[in-house]
Amino acid sequence: MSDEVGGSKSPRQVAAERVAFEHLVMVRLHLEALIGKAGQSGDASFSSRSIVALRHAFVDVRMVIEELMLLSVSAHKDAGEDVAKSLRKVYQADKKMARLRAINPRFFPDAIEVVPTDDADVDGRFVRVECEYLSEEEAKSYYNRCGAKLHASWQQMSAESYFEERQALSRFIELTSRLLDTFEIDISGQGYIMLGHLNLGEAGPPSLFFARKE
C-alpha cells in the first residue's frame, strides 16, 4: 500500500483506504487463481473433469467482479454492508450495477496510463488508455455468464461450448489485467479517488494512492 495511507488522515479515512486495499488484494488473488486454472487446463481435453474445472474458474470471475463492485463503496461502511447483502439476493448484473451507480456514479474503474509532459516539474500525467480493457458492459455480460455456468443443467455442455467458454475466460483475464494495470476509481461517490496498480505477477502487494477531487 502507498505510504500515504495513514499519515495525518482521520481514522475514518484510514479505515476506508484499508477496506479498499483489502478488496483489491482479493481481486488480485482471484485473478491469479483464474490465471493458474487457465494455465493448468491449457492442454486439457474435453471431459467431465474439465467441465468442473471450468465451473471453478467462473467462480473466480464472479468474485473478481463482486470485489470490484464493493471496491466502489469502500468509503461507505453502511453502503458496503447493503451492497454485500444485495449481491446475495439480486441475481441480475444490471440491477446490481444500477444500485451501485445510484450510490456512486463512478463506481466502475477507469484504466489509465502515465504519459510524459513538457512541464519540467511534472513527471507525467494520467490519461485514459486507448487499448481495450474490461468495461462496465462487459463486466455485466461476464457476470450474467457466470450465473448461467454456476447452475447444474439437464443438458450436458458440448465440446464446442466448452472451448468457447475457455476462450471467454482467456479474454476476461486479458481485459481485467489491463483495466487494473493502472486505474482510478472513486471509492466514495464524492470525489475520493483511489489510483492504483494491481502489480499482477509481482512479488509485492498492489500499490495504492489516494487523492481528493473537487
Side-chain angles (χ1 to χ4, degrees):
M1 192 185 302
S2 164
D3 291 338
E4 183 185 350
V5 176
S8 60
K9 296 184 179 181
S10 70
R12 186 174 179 178
Q13 285 176 301
V14 174
E17 292 172 6
R18 171 58 61 181
V19 170
F21 177 73
E22 290 170 352
H23 283 310
L24 193 61
V25 167
M26 295 305 291
V27 168
R28 176 167 147 175
L29 292 175
H30 280 291
L31 196 55
E32 288 176 346
L34 182 56
I35 291 169
K37 291 182 179 77
Q40 291 170 2
S41 62
D43 299 320
S45 58
F46 174 66
S47 66
S48 297
R49 188 176 296 276
S50 64
I51 290 173
V52 170
L54 184 73
R55 290 176 176 176
H56 289 170
F58 272 102
V59 170
D60 286 308
V61 171
R62 184 165 185 154
M63 292 305 299
V64 165
I65 297 171
E66 290 192 354
E67 292 288 352
L68 286 177
M69 290 180 185
L70 288 168
L71 183 65
S72 70
V73 291
S74 301
H76 292 284
K77 178 178 180 294
D78 292 340
E81 291 178 358
D82 187 48
V83 170
K85 291 176 183 177
S86 176
L87 292 178
R88 296 182 179 91
K89 295 178 181 178
V90 179
Y91 294 98
Q92 296 91 345
D94 286 352
K95 291 183 178 180
K96 291 180 179 181
M97 293 191 181
R99 187 179 186 88
L100 284 168
R101 187 171 294 284
I103 299 170
N104 179 0
R106 296 190 58 195
F107 80 93
F108 201 79
D110 285 320
I112 58 176
E113 60 184 345
V114 182
V115 298
T117 71
D118 296 329
D119 189 338
D121 296 324
V122 179
D123 291 333
R125 61 187 176 88
F126 292 111
V127 299
R128 284 186 171 81
V129 301
E130 298 281 335
C131 64
E132 202 175 14
Y133 56 87
L134 187 72
S135 66
E136 178 185 338
E137 288 305 312
E138 285 198 279
K140 287 180 186 177
S141 177
Y142 272 103
Y143 196 84
N144 290 331
R145 197 171 197 149
C146 290
K149 295 292 172 293
L150 299 180
H151 292 284
S153 173
W154 63 272
Q155 187 176 25
Q156 183 65 286
M157 177 181 284
S158 68
E160 182 180 7
S161 295
Y162 168 76
F163 287 109
E164 285 177 356
E165 296 303 331
R166 282 263 307 277
Q167 289 178 345
L169 287 174
S170 296
R171 178 173 169 78
F172 179 82
I173 292 169
E174 178 182 350
L175 294 177
T176 307
S177 298
R178 183 59 197 90
L179 169 66
L180 300 175
D181 179 43
T182 305
F183 69 96
E184 69 173 16
I185 183 173
D186 186 337
I187 63 170
S188 68
Q190 299 176 6
Y192 197 12
I193 304 299
M194 182 177 84
L195 298 96
H197 304 287
L198 190 63
N199 295 336
L200 188 65
E202 298 183 18
S207 302
L208 303 185
F209 309 89
F210 296 86
R212 284 282 186 185
K213 276 190 179 180
E214 299 299 332

